[in-house]
Amino acid sequence: MFRRSSLSSLVAVTVVAILVSACSASAQRYELLLDEGTQHTSYNTPNLQCAEPWPEGSTLVWGDIRTWELDNWTFAAGARTSVGEDMDAELTFFHMDTSGDDPIDGAVRDSEMTLLGLNFKWVARRTDRLTISVIPGAEFPLGDIKGTNTATSGTARSDEIIPVVAVPFDFSAQEDTIFRLVPRYVGFDEAPKLADDSTVPGFGDILAIGVAVLHDFGEYSVVADGTFLADGDNSINDANNTLTDEFIWSVGGTWHPAAKDMRVDVFATNAAGPTAASSIIAAPDSSIGVGVRVSGEF
């Protein structure tokens, strides 16, 4: 299932993560961070995973909906729970179907994708202000991933497992502000097949660097993230149906009342979804979508 280029990139990112963890000399338990009023450090931004694992004693359940021109929708849901000290696991589901009369931004390719994902997070290093984690995982297609050229009606299909690795760095500049850096790798199929067994170019291996800033105002927060591609492609050029690379971004706000174990995020973005793989896919021609995510503790 995994290509040689995918494996080499995956190994490179994993080796860096192991070297980071080997340098860890001190650790501060997550409960101490909670005592300082920084619970929001355990939440992802719309497109980037956080460094802090989910604390013991509860499970986070979330749902995410995004729409473009109110005619194309993506849906995602997930659950995160602690699986040991400074470790968590997350199960995710993502569905996208851009087929119909009005493809996103008039793009000539429609897409269908349903993914079931699993990732595991462990803290490699933690100091008073910095947390570094390693998050390996994979997203599994439920049925074929399909891309249709609406000009020719040709459909390319793939059932390749998508390996993912992220190494988020979270730095607390002060109690209510967090800066995030997230190097990551996503390994898509590089040669989806047509009906006659010929192939078309796929996204293949993607290496990216994400940055984010979060600022807390008590019951409200603001957040912005951006991801630059260092290598690979993540979108379709709507003018000529060729692969292209697009900057991924989001900006939004969060309501998290102190009396309730819930959060509501409202944001604008050009990323298809919030999961490790879907958050690297850009809407054609940077079309802007709006999204809502609701999460709660159980």
Side-chain angles (χ1 to χ4, degrees), residues 11-287:
V11 168
V13 174
T14 304
V15 167
V16 171
I18 292 173
L19 290 176
V20 169
S21 65
C23 294
S24 178
S26 63
Q28 178 180 345
R29 286 185 57 83
Y30 181 70
E31 288 79 2
L32 297 180
L33 294 176
L34 292 182
D35 291 340
E36 295 174 359
T38 57
Q39 292 93 329
H40 56 288
T41 59
S42 283
Y43 288 88
N44 300 336
T45 69
N47 301 322
L48 291 176
Q49 294 166 296
C50 65
E52 282 292 347
W54 193 251
E56 298 178 16
S58 68
T59 296
L60 176 72
V61 178
W62 57 266
D64 181 297
I65 300 176
R66 306 182 185 203
T67 181
W68 288 261
E69 291 98 36
L70 296 178
D71 191 45
N72 292 272
W73 301 77
T74 68
F75 305 90
R80 287 174 61 199
T81 191
S82 172
V83 291
E85 182 178 344
D86 287 335
M87 296 182 292
D88 77 14
E90 182 173 35
L91 183 68
T92 63
F93 172 84
F94 172 76
H95 176 71
M96 174 174 69
D97 184 352
T98 65
S99 61
D101 295 332
D102 185 22
I104 293 176
D105 203 43
V108 296
R109 180 176 292 185
D110 295 335
S111 299
E112 296 178 46
M113 178 187 298
T114 303
L115 301 172
L116 184 66
L118 179 64
N119 58 66
F120 174 79
K121 177 187 298 178
W122 55 277
V123 174
R125 178 174 175 81
R126 185 188 286 118
T127 65
D128 288 344
R129 293 190 177 275
L130 177 67
T131 302
I132 306 172
S133 290
V134 182
I135 312 176
E139 297 193 19
F140 304 86
L142 301 180
D144 286 342
I145 298 172
K146 303 175 184 177
T148 300
N149 184 327
T150 55
T152 66
S153 298
T155 298
R157 301 172 183 268
S158 173
D159 60 359
E160 294 276 344
I161 296 172
I162 305 169
V164 292
V165 178
V167 185
F169 295 66
D170 276 8
F171 176 74
S172 299
Q174 50 191 1
E175 187 173 292
D176 54 6
T177 304
I178 297 171
F179 294 97
R180 180 168 297 159
L181 174 69
V182 188
R184 57 175 168 156
Y185 161 80
V186 182
F188 289 103
D189 190 354
E190 60 187 15
K193 289 185 177 181
L194 298 173
D196 60 1
D197 286 336
S198 62
T199 62
V200 296
F203 290 150
D205 297 326
I206 299 175
L207 296 175
I209 302 291
V211 294
V213 60
L214 305 88
H215 184 76
D216 188 53
F217 295 97
E219 290 193 350
Y220 298 91
S221 298
V222 292
V223 59
D225 64 40
T227 298
F228 304 83
L229 266 62
D231 187 45
D233 294 305
N234 67 337
S235 190
I236 304 296
N237 185 312
D238 64 307
N240 56 25
N241 197 36
T242 60
L243 299 181
T244 186
D245 60 301
E246 295 282 353
F247 175 71
I248 293 286
W249 61 272
S250 77
V251 60
T254 302
W255 175 57
H256 40 87
K260 299 181 180 180
D261 294 328
M262 65 170 291
R263 291 169 67 96
V264 178
D265 300 89
V266 179
F267 52 90
T269 185
N270 69 333
T275 69
S278 65
S279 61
I280 203 71
I281 300 174
D285 199 30
S286 293
S287 179

